[in-house]
Amino acid sequence: MASSLLPSPTKHLRPMQVETILHMKEGLGDTSYAQNSSLQRNSIETLKNIIINSAVDVYISQSPEQFTLADLGCSSGPNTVTVAGEIIKKIGGLCHKFSIPAPDFSVMLNDLPTNDFNTVFVNVPQFVESLKDYADTDEWGHPSVFVAGVPGSFYGRLFPSRSVHFICSCSSLHWLSKVPIGLFNEIGKPINKGKMYISHTSPPEVAKAYYKQFQGDFNKFLKARSMEIACGGKMVLAMLGRRTTDHSDPSTSLLWELLAQSLELLVSHEMIHQEKLDSYNVPFYAPNIIEIEEEVRKEGSFTLDYIDIFETNLNASGDARKDGRVLSMAIRAIQESMLSHHFGGEIIDALFNNYSELLIQSMEREAIRSVQIGVVLSKL
């Protein structure tokens, strides 16, 4: 392709408005998030017992007539109501065991306004019916379950004051509210050229900008939730993180490095301009445990009940070609909206063909591992 036929390098250089652009791939097609969210499901499974037990602890301590739980960053795939359903079953079974009426359950499903809530709502009747069927077999009566969608950024208020008993958020809080400022110099030139996240070759200012953005965002998140959660309520948070103080820890940077290399291949084939790649940065940050603990301490509204690291081998089947393709499709379902906004949708297929091959090559050399941090917080 002749370079003169390339889209203008400035066409998509306007600032990315994360709240209106970031969303998982909608629908039920082959490239949709609904069909490519097994990695997130595995993450939920890792923390499922912690999530359920934390919610049950809140119910036991407060015994409300209405129990309100919220999922922040619910998306629209098969994982959307899984955790809520397990919590409702557990509390309902507990009520049956002690011969007390089960509470009404209010389930609040939150994500950004561009989320595919239509797919969520279509599946709600089936979800409620499945709980009724379970209740019949378990003999604790038909639960009253009310489900609502709550569009909006969780970096601001979402619910009335002291109205929520339990909140969980899985695979969401590593997304920032915006691309950090400070990634361009005083004359507007990008300082993290050829990279889209923190790399071992990035200038120190890049890591500082990302960390500062995380600090501000996580503080806003905690402050908003502190007003919404009833005293004694809990939150369970699970986010991608890193083990070390090194911001370019391979457990979080490798997948971004390979995606940047995939874009470099498109530059070499004159499918995109180098300037477009240089100016693309993701609104993402993977904290370590120390950084999370520090922000919880500074905000002051929650006690930290539990925090730990969980590591997942992404070479799940041992077949590098199969695992590489699965991982590529999963990343595509997450990233496509932002990449299409910046580079144009016409490059997506070629980009992820490249990405899949690079992932396969990397997995053939060594296992790719993902680090997740699980956190349990109690409202003071």
Side-chain angles (χ1 to χ4, degrees):
M1 181 185 297
S3 59
S4 61
L5 299 180
L6 289 171
S8 166
T10 59
K11 180 181 178 182
H12 293 287
L13 294 189
R14 60 188 182 279
M16 183 187 297
Q17 302 298 318
V18 172
E19 191 167 341
T20 59
I21 294 169
L22 173 59
H23 60 84
M24 306 301 100
K25 180 69 173 178
E26 67 276 6
L28 299 172
D30 290 343
T31 62
S32 69
Y33 181 80
Q35 300 295 330
N36 296 281
S37 53
S38 60
L39 298 179
Q40 290 82 355
R41 182 168 63 251
N42 292 340
S43 296
I44 292 172
E45 284 295 318
T46 301
L47 287 168
K48 185 171 74 172
N49 288 338
I50 293 172
I51 296 170
I52 294 171
N53 291 338
S54 296
V56 171
D57 286 347
V58 175
Y59 176 74
I60 291 173
S61 67
Q62 301 196 9
S63 300
E65 292 183 359
Q66 175 184 314
F67 188 81
T68 299
L69 59 106
D71 184 344
L72 307 188
C74 67
S75 193
S76 59
N79 306 329
T80 303
V81 291
T82 298
V83 172
E86 293 296 325
I87 291 171
I88 292 169
K89 290 176 184 177
K90 189 74 172 183
I91 293 176
L94 192 67
C95 292
H96 170 64
K97 178 179 178 180
F98 293 102
S99 301
I100 58 176
D104 288 346
F105 293 97
S106 181
V107 180
M108 303 294 184
L109 301 175
N110 157 260
D111 214 313
L112 293 174
T114 48
N115 183 55
D116 184 8
F117 281 103
N118 285 338
T119 299
V120 174
F121 296 146
V122 164
N123 292 323
V124 164
Q126 180 182 355
F127 165 67
V128 174
E129 284 301 314
S130 70
L131 290 173
K132 289 180 179 178
D133 292 342
Y134 177 85
D136 286 338
T137 60
D138 205 43
E139 299 180 354
W140 55 271
H142 285 203
S144 295
V145 181
F146 305 91
V147 181
V150 185
S153 170
F154 51 46
Y155 291 119
R157 287 290 302 274
L158 295 167
F159 312 110
S161 297
R162 297 180 297 280
S163 65
V164 183
H165 299 98
F166 178 76
I167 285 175
C168 68
S169 179
C170 296
S171 299
S172 296
L173 268 167
H174 41 253
W175 294 111
L176 300 171
S177 67
K178 63 181 180 180
V179 173
I181 59 174
L183 299 181
F184 294 81
N185 64 21
E186 62 278 2
I187 60 172
K189 297 293 184 180
I191 64 172
N192 199 28
K193 292 184 177 182
K195 306 296 180 181
M196 60 181 67
Y197 184 56
I198 307 166
S199 166
H200 68 280
T201 62
S202 298
E205 292 79 10
V206 172
K208 291 177 182 177
Y210 271 100
Y211 180 42
K212 183 177 181 180
Q213 186 64 46
F214 164 76
Q215 289 178 300
D217 280 349
F218 196 49
N219 181 267
K220 289 177 182 177
F221 176 86
L222 293 173
K223 283 189 180 301
R225 304 295 82 78
S226 72
M227 291 183 274
E228 296 166 348
I229 298 178
C231 290
K234 291 181 182 287
M235 281 199 296
V236 177
L237 312 176
M239 67 194 87
L240 293 178
R242 65 188 201 277
R243 287 187 175 276
T244 69
T245 57
D246 180 5
H247 285 90
S248 60
D249 187 322
S251 63
T252 55
S253 65
L254 177 61
L255 296 181
W256 297 117
E257 293 277 359
L258 295 179
L259 191 56
Q261 290 175 30
S262 302
L263 285 164
E264 286 279 11
L265 288 172
L266 298 188
V267 172
S268 69
H269 288 91
E270 299 187 340
M271 295 180 67
I272 60 174
H273 285 280
Q274 182 67 50
E275 293 92 333
K276 295 290 286 297
L277 173 56
D278 291 344
S279 64
Y280 184 67
N281 300 285
V282 290
F284 171 94
Y285 186 77
N288 62 26
I289 282 180
I290 295 171
E291 292 168 348
I292 293 172
E293 289 175 333
E294 177 66 11
E295 294 310 312
V296 171
R297 183 194 62 78
K298 286 195 301 186
E299 196 280 328
S301 299
F302 297 89
T303 59
L304 183 61
D305 297 346
Y306 172 92
I307 187 167
D308 205 354
I309 287 176
F310 301 86
E311 191 171 283
T312 303
N313 183 356
L314 299 180
N315 297 59
S317 73
D319 181 338
R321 184 154 292 277
K322 176 184 176 182
D323 293 335
R325 287 172 176 166
V326 168
L327 184 53
S328 177
M329 291 293 284
I331 301 299
R332 175 173 179 167
I334 297 167
Q335 280 285 293
E336 185 168 340
S337 64
M338 290 184 287
L339 289 164
S340 294
H341 168 77
H342 188 83
F343 296 101
E346 64 276 3
I347 60 97
I348 296 298
D349 286 342
L351 171 61
F352 281 96
N353 286 338
N354 293 341
Y355 192 50
S356 179
E357 289 304 313
L358 290 176
L359 285 169
I360 291 167
Q361 293 170 22
S362 182
M363 286 178 162
E364 287 174 341
R365 291 191 298 270
E366 60 182 337
I368 295 180
R369 299 185 179 277
S370 173
V371 170
Q372 180 178 217
I373 298 178
V375 184
V376 181
L377 301 172
S378 290
K379 173 69 189 312
L380 294 170

